[in-house]
Amino acid sequence: MLNKVRLMPAHLQSKVINTAWYKLVPIACAILWLLYANATQDSLSDLMQSALSSALGVVGAIFANLSGAGGGVVFIPVFAQLGFSEAQSVSTSFAIQCFGMTAGAVTWSMHYRHHHRDNPHWQSFIQVVGVTSALSIAGIWTAQHGEIGAPSSLAHSFAIFSVILGLSLLAQLYVFKAKIDHHNRLKAGDYIALIAIGFGGGLITAWLSVGVGELLVLYLIFRGFNTAMAIASAVVVTAITVWSASPIHLGQDSFAVWDVAMYA
Protein backbone atom coordinates (compact mmCIF):
# COMPACT_ATOMS: atom_id res chain seq x y z
CA MET A 1 0.00 0.00 0.00
CA LEU A 2 2.77 2.44 0.92
CA ASN A 3 4.59 1.68 -2.33
CA LYS A 4 1.45 2.49 -4.31
CA VAL A 5 1.08 5.80 -2.50
CA ARG A 6 4.74 6.74 -3.21
CA LEU A 7 4.22 6.14 -6.94
CA MET A 8 1.32 8.61 -7.06
CA PRO A 9 1.67 12.31 -7.96
CA ALA A 10 2.24 14.57 -4.95
CA HIS A 11 -1.28 16.02 -4.89
CA LEU A 12 -2.83 12.52 -4.97
CA GLN A 13 -0.50 11.31 -2.22
CA SER A 14 -1.68 14.16 -0.02
CA LYS A 15 -5.32 13.33 -0.76
CA VAL A 16 -4.88 9.65 0.09
CA ILE A 17 -3.06 10.45 3.34
CA ASN A 18 -5.69 13.00 4.37
CA THR A 19 -8.46 10.48 3.64
CA ALA A 20 -6.66 7.87 5.73
CA TRP A 21 -6.37 10.25 8.69
CA TYR A 22 -10.04 11.20 8.29
CA LYS A 23 -11.00 7.54 8.68
CA LEU A 24 -8.56 6.80 11.51
CA VAL A 25 -9.47 9.69 13.82
CA PRO A 26 -12.95 8.45 14.88
CA ILE A 27 -11.61 4.91 15.27
CA ALA A 28 -8.79 6.15 17.50
CA CYS A 29 -11.21 8.23 19.58
CA ALA A 30 -13.52 5.25 20.06
CA ILE A 31 -10.66 2.98 21.12
CA LEU A 32 -9.27 5.56 23.57
CA TRP A 33 -12.73 6.10 25.08
CA LEU A 34 -13.27 2.37 25.53
CA LEU A 35 -9.85 1.90 27.12
CA TYR A 36 -10.45 4.78 29.51
CA ALA A 37 -14.00 3.73 30.39
CA ASN A 38 -13.04 0.10 31.01
CA ALA A 39 -9.88 0.98 32.95
CA THR A 40 -11.76 3.23 35.39
CA GLN A 41 -14.14 0.52 36.63
CA ASP A 42 -14.28 0.16 40.41
CA SER A 43 -14.15 -3.62 40.60
CA LEU A 44 -13.06 -6.64 38.59
CA SER A 45 -16.68 -7.75 38.07
CA ASP A 46 -17.57 -4.30 36.66
CA LEU A 47 -14.52 -4.46 34.40
CA MET A 48 -15.52 -7.91 33.11
CA GLN A 49 -19.06 -6.71 32.45
CA SER A 50 -18.00 -3.57 30.58
CA ALA A 51 -15.34 -5.46 28.61
CA LEU A 52 -17.95 -8.06 27.59
CA SER A 53 -20.32 -5.32 26.48
CA SER A 54 -17.55 -3.61 24.50
CA ALA A 55 -16.61 -6.86 22.75
CA LEU A 56 -20.28 -7.59 22.10
CA GLY A 57 -20.71 -4.23 20.39
CA VAL A 58 -17.68 -4.75 18.15
CA VAL A 59 -18.68 -8.29 17.16
CA GLY A 60 -22.30 -7.28 16.58
CA ALA A 61 -21.34 -4.30 14.42
CA ILE A 62 -18.89 -6.31 12.30
CA PHE A 63 -21.43 -9.08 11.74
CA ALA A 64 -24.26 -6.65 11.01
CA ASN A 65 -22.38 -4.49 8.54
CA LEU A 66 -20.82 -7.42 6.68
CA SER A 67 -24.05 -9.40 6.34
CA GLY A 68 -26.85 -6.82 6.41
CA ALA A 69 -28.43 -8.61 9.36
CA GLY A 70 -29.11 -6.34 12.33
CA GLY A 71 -26.86 -6.52 15.37
CA GLY A 72 -29.81 -7.85 17.34
CA VAL A 73 -29.07 -11.28 15.86
CA VAL A 74 -26.01 -11.25 18.14
CA PHE A 75 -27.36 -9.15 21.02
CA ILE A 76 -30.69 -10.85 21.79
CA PRO A 77 -29.28 -14.34 22.64
CA VAL A 78 -26.57 -12.77 24.82
CA PHE A 79 -29.08 -10.60 26.67
CA ALA A 80 -31.22 -13.68 27.34
CA GLN A 81 -28.18 -15.35 28.94
CA LEU A 82 -27.59 -12.22 31.04
CA GLY A 83 -31.12 -12.50 32.43
CA PHE A 84 -32.61 -9.41 30.76
CA SER A 85 -36.38 -9.22 30.48
CA GLU A 86 -37.92 -9.22 26.98
CA ALA A 87 -38.51 -5.46 27.16
CA GLN A 88 -34.94 -4.83 28.32
CA SER A 89 -33.48 -7.04 25.58
CA VAL A 90 -35.39 -5.38 22.75
CA SER A 91 -34.86 -1.81 23.98
CA THR A 92 -31.15 -2.32 24.66
CA SER A 93 -30.71 -3.90 21.23
CA PHE A 94 -32.49 -0.94 19.61
CA ALA A 95 -30.32 1.52 21.54
CA ILE A 96 -27.10 -0.17 20.40
CA GLN A 97 -28.23 -0.50 16.79
CA CYS A 98 -29.17 3.18 16.60
CA PHE A 99 -25.46 3.93 16.73
CA GLY A 100 -23.80 0.81 15.30
CA MET A 101 -26.07 0.53 12.28
CA THR A 102 -25.87 4.29 11.71
CA ALA A 103 -22.08 4.08 11.52
CA GLY A 104 -22.48 1.26 9.00
CA ALA A 105 -25.13 3.15 7.05
CA VAL A 106 -22.89 6.23 6.75
CA THR A 107 -19.94 4.08 5.65
CA TRP A 108 -21.92 2.15 3.05
CA SER A 109 -23.53 5.36 1.75
CA MET A 110 -20.11 6.97 1.32
CA HIS A 111 -18.90 3.81 -0.41
CA TYR A 112 -21.84 4.07 -2.83
CA ARG A 113 -21.29 7.78 -3.42
CA HIS A 114 -17.56 7.51 -4.11
CA HIS A 115 -17.38 4.19 -5.95
CA HIS A 116 -20.75 3.03 -7.28
CA ARG A 117 -22.96 5.96 -8.28
CA ASP A 118 -22.45 5.07 -11.95
CA ASN A 119 -22.25 1.32 -11.40
CA PRO A 120 -25.20 -0.40 -13.13
CA HIS A 121 -25.25 -3.06 -10.42
CA TRP A 122 -26.03 -0.33 -7.86
CA GLN A 123 -28.59 1.68 -9.83
CA SER A 124 -31.50 0.49 -7.64
CA PHE A 125 -29.83 1.34 -4.31
CA ILE A 126 -31.72 4.60 -3.67
CA GLN A 127 -35.09 3.19 -4.72
CA VAL A 128 -34.68 0.08 -2.57
CA VAL A 129 -33.74 2.10 0.50
CA GLY A 130 -36.48 4.70 -0.01
CA VAL A 131 -39.38 2.29 -0.54
CA THR A 132 -38.39 -0.25 2.11
CA SER A 133 -37.56 2.35 4.76
CA ALA A 134 -40.86 4.18 4.37
CA LEU A 135 -42.90 0.99 4.76
CA SER A 136 -40.69 -0.30 7.57
CA ILE A 137 -41.31 2.86 9.56
CA ALA A 138 -45.04 2.41 8.96
CA GLY A 139 -44.81 -1.20 10.11
CA ILE A 140 -42.88 -0.52 13.29
CA TRP A 141 -45.22 2.28 14.36
CA THR A 142 -48.29 0.20 13.49
CA ALA A 143 -47.01 -2.47 15.85
CA GLN A 144 -46.36 0.08 18.60
CA HIS A 145 -49.53 2.20 18.35
CA GLY A 146 -51.78 -0.67 17.35
CA GLU A 147 -50.37 -2.69 20.25
CA ILE A 148 -49.80 -5.64 17.94
CA GLY A 149 -47.71 -8.05 19.94
CA ALA A 150 -45.50 -10.91 18.78
CA PRO A 151 -47.33 -14.22 18.21
CA SER A 152 -45.22 -15.87 20.93
CA SER A 153 -42.48 -15.09 23.45
CA LEU A 154 -39.30 -13.29 22.41
CA ALA A 155 -37.18 -16.43 22.80
CA HIS A 156 -39.57 -18.59 20.76
CA SER A 157 -40.14 -15.99 18.02
CA PHE A 158 -36.42 -15.27 17.77
CA ALA A 159 -35.59 -18.98 17.54
CA ILE A 160 -38.06 -19.49 14.68
CA PHE A 161 -36.82 -16.39 12.85
CA SER A 162 -33.19 -17.50 13.26
CA VAL A 163 -33.86 -20.99 11.88
CA ILE A 164 -35.71 -19.60 8.86
CA LEU A 165 -32.94 -17.06 8.30
CA GLY A 166 -30.23 -19.74 8.50
CA LEU A 167 -32.01 -22.09 6.10
CA SER A 168 -32.58 -19.23 3.65
CA LEU A 169 -28.90 -18.29 3.74
CA LEU A 170 -27.88 -21.89 3.06
CA ALA A 171 -30.35 -22.12 0.18
CA GLN A 172 -28.94 -18.95 -1.38
CA LEU A 173 -25.38 -20.13 -0.92
CA TYR A 174 -25.90 -23.44 -2.71
CA VAL A 175 -28.91 -22.84 -4.98
CA PHE A 176 -29.14 -19.20 -6.04
CA LYS A 177 -25.47 -18.19 -6.14
CA ALA A 178 -25.35 -18.29 -9.95
CA LYS A 179 -28.08 -15.66 -10.22
CA ILE A 180 -26.13 -12.90 -8.45
CA ASP A 181 -25.47 -9.76 -10.53
CA HIS A 182 -27.96 -10.88 -13.20
CA HIS A 183 -30.63 -8.40 -12.08
CA ASN A 184 -30.02 -4.67 -11.74
CA ARG A 185 -33.27 -2.75 -12.27
CA LEU A 186 -36.38 -2.93 -10.08
CA LYS A 187 -39.52 -4.24 -11.75
CA ALA A 188 -43.16 -3.82 -10.72
CA GLY A 189 -43.08 -7.11 -8.82
CA ASP A 190 -39.98 -5.99 -6.94
CA TYR A 191 -41.72 -2.85 -5.72
CA ILE A 192 -44.65 -4.93 -4.44
CA ALA A 193 -42.23 -7.27 -2.68
CA LEU A 194 -40.31 -4.35 -1.12
CA ILE A 195 -43.57 -2.88 0.19
CA ALA A 196 -44.45 -6.22 1.81
CA ILE A 197 -40.93 -6.72 3.16
CA GLY A 198 -40.81 -3.19 4.52
CA PHE A 199 -44.13 -3.33 6.36
CA GLY A 200 -43.85 -6.95 7.50
CA GLY A 201 -40.21 -6.48 8.42
CA GLY A 202 -41.12 -3.39 10.42
CA LEU A 203 -43.61 -5.41 12.46
CA ILE A 204 -41.03 -8.14 13.11
CA THR A 205 -38.38 -5.56 14.01
CA ALA A 206 -40.74 -4.03 16.58
CA TRP A 207 -40.98 -7.46 18.24
CA LEU A 208 -37.41 -8.77 17.90
CA SER A 209 -35.27 -5.68 17.12
CA VAL A 210 -34.29 -7.50 13.90
CA GLY A 211 -36.24 -8.42 10.82
CA VAL A 212 -36.45 -5.94 7.99
CA GLY A 213 -32.73 -5.91 7.12
CA GLU A 214 -32.50 -9.69 7.08
CA LEU A 215 -35.60 -10.10 4.89
CA LEU A 216 -34.42 -7.39 2.50
CA VAL A 217 -30.94 -8.79 1.93
CA LEU A 218 -32.34 -12.29 1.41
CA TYR A 219 -34.84 -11.07 -1.16
CA LEU A 220 -32.38 -8.94 -3.11
CA ILE A 221 -29.82 -11.74 -3.35
CA PHE A 222 -32.55 -14.22 -4.28
CA ARG A 223 -33.62 -11.90 -7.10
CA GLY A 224 -30.04 -11.72 -8.38
CA PHE A 225 -29.04 -8.22 -7.29
CA ASN A 226 -25.42 -7.44 -6.47
CA THR A 227 -24.51 -8.83 -3.03
CA ALA A 228 -22.71 -5.71 -1.79
CA MET A 229 -25.62 -3.52 -2.89
CA ALA A 230 -28.04 -5.83 -1.08
CA ILE A 231 -26.02 -5.65 2.15
CA ALA A 232 -25.61 -1.86 1.90
CA SER A 233 -29.35 -1.43 1.36
CA ALA A 234 -30.18 -3.64 4.34
CA VAL A 235 -27.79 -1.75 6.65
CA VAL A 236 -29.15 1.67 5.66
CA VAL A 237 -32.79 0.53 5.96
CA THR A 238 -32.12 -0.99 9.39
CA ALA A 239 -30.48 2.22 10.62
CA ILE A 240 -33.44 4.32 9.46
CA THR A 241 -35.90 1.84 10.98
CA VAL A 242 -34.33 1.67 14.44
CA TRP A 243 -34.00 5.45 14.61
CA SER A 244 -37.68 5.81 13.71
CA ALA A 245 -38.46 3.92 16.92
CA SER A 246 -36.01 5.94 19.02
CA PRO A 247 -38.77 7.92 20.81
CA ILE A 248 -39.91 4.59 22.25
CA HIS A 249 -36.62 2.88 23.01
CA LEU A 250 -34.42 5.88 23.82
CA GLY A 251 -37.04 7.99 25.60
CA GLN A 252 -37.75 8.60 29.26
CA ASP A 253 -39.73 5.37 29.66
CA SER A 254 -37.13 3.23 27.89
CA PHE A 255 -36.35 -0.23 29.25
CA ALA A 256 -32.83 -0.11 27.80
CA VAL A 257 -30.00 -1.16 30.13
CA TRP A 258 -27.80 1.85 29.51
CA ASP A 259 -24.72 0.49 31.31
CA VAL A 260 -24.56 -2.20 28.64
CA ALA A 261 -25.75 -0.06 25.74
CA MET A 262 -23.16 2.69 26.21
CA TYR A 263 -20.21 0.28 26.04
CA ALA A 264 -21.62 -1.84 23.24
Side-chain angles (χ1 to χ4, degrees):
M1 180 63 184
L2 289 175
N3 290 332
K4 290 181 179 180
V5 173
R6 292 192 188 101
L7 292 174
M8 292 179 179
H11 68 285
L12 290 180
Q13 289 185 28
S14 176
K15 184 176 180 180
V16 170
I17 293 171
N18 289 337
T19 302
W21 278 110
Y22 174 78
K23 294 178 179 179
L24 289 174
V25 167
I27 296 174
C29 290
I31 291 173
L32 289 173
W33 184 88
L34 284 172
L35 290 173
Y36 170 77
N38 282 286
T40 53
Q41 293 291 352
D42 294 329
S43 66
L44 180 60
S45 61
D46 290 340
L47 173 61
M48 294 297 292
Q49 179 65 52
S50 63
L52 173 63
S53 300
S54 301
L56 178 66
V58 173
V59 172
I62 291 173
F63 175 80
N65 289 289
L66 285 178
S67 67
V73 171
V74 175
F75 303 142
I76 295 297
V78 175
F79 294 158
Q81 292 298 316
L82 293 176
F84 287 12
S85 68
E86 292 189 3
Q88 287 176 323
S89 295
V90 173
S91 286
T92 306
S93 179
F94 263 94
I96 296 169
Q97 289 187 83
C98 278
F99 299 96
M101 297 306 286
T102 299
V106 170
T107 303
W108 274 114
S109 298
M110 291 175 64
H111 179 68
Y112 161 74
R113 178 182 176 186
H114 293 299
H115 300 289
H116 295 290
R117 291 182 71 175
D118 299 320
N119 186 338
H121 295 309
W122 285 66
Q123 63 180 304
S124 299
F125 176 68
I126 300 297
Q127 295 96 311
V128 169
V129 170
V131 172
T132 313
S133 296
L135 271 298
S136 180
I137 292 171
I140 205 167
W141 279 98
T142 297
Q144 296 294 341
H145 283 295
E147 297 183 354
I148 303 174
S152 60
S153 67
L154 176 63
H156 188 244
S157 299
F158 187 85
I160 294 174
F161 182 79
S162 298
V163 170
I164 294 173
L165 177 65
L167 292 175
S168 300
L169 288 171
L170 288 174
Q172 288 188 345
L173 180 63
Y174 293 106
V175 180
F176 303 115
K177 187 176 181 180
K179 294 178 60 178
I180 294 174
D181 286 348
H182 289 181
H183 193 71
N184 300 325
R185 189 181 298 275
L186 292 175
K187 298 180 180 179
D190 292 317
Y191 282 103
I192 295 172
L194 292 179
I195 290 171
I197 288 170
F199 191 80
L203 291 174
I204 296 172
T205 302
W207 303 331
L208 307 179
S209 84
V210 294
V212 66
E214 291 78 0
L215 295 177
L216 179 59
V217 76
L218 287 174
Y219 175 78
L220 291 176
I221 296 176
F222 168 75
R223 285 287 289 135
F225 286 92
N226 178 268
T227 302
M229 192 281 288
I231 294 172
S233 300
V235 171
V236 175
V237 168
T238 301
I240 295 172
T241 301
V242 294
W243 270 111
S244 74
S246 61
I248 302 167
H249 297 288
L250 304 184
Q252 185 175 0
D253 298 326
S254 170
F255 288 98
V257 181
W258 289 105
D259 287 346
V260 172
M262 288 303 294
Y263 284 95

